[in-house]
Amino acid sequence: MLNRRPGYVAFEVNVTDPATFKGYAAQVPATLAPYGGKFLVRPGKITPVEGDPPKVNFGVIAFDSVEKAEAW
């Protein structure tokens, strides 16, 4: 039995043009589907519990394996 580790893609994005980013972001789920990728954390408004919020948006995408994450 092959024991595969899940794979993750963590990213930061500095949105300078919200309208263009919205169009780009709408297309991302279709690129994830063939690889089984799912958002764990999506870029968006962050409400910090302590301190200042990050200056950039960040997200995390999960895959069933490192290989699928790399293939995406």
Side-chain angles (χ1 to χ4, degrees), residues 11-65:
F11 61 93
E12 293 182 342
V13 60
N14 183 14
V15 178
T16 58
D17 182 345
T20 299
F21 181 73
K22 186 176 181 180
Y24 169 81
Q27 297 177 51
V28 173
T31 72
L32 295 172
Y35 304 96
K38 306 235 183 304
F39 279 98
L40 293 181
V41 178
R42 287 183 178 263
K45 185 178 185 323
I46 298 172
T47 304
V49 174
E50 185 176 316
D52 295 328
K55 302 289 185 222
V56 296
N57 289 304
F58 67 93
V60 179
I61 302 169
F63 296 86
D64 291 338
S65 68

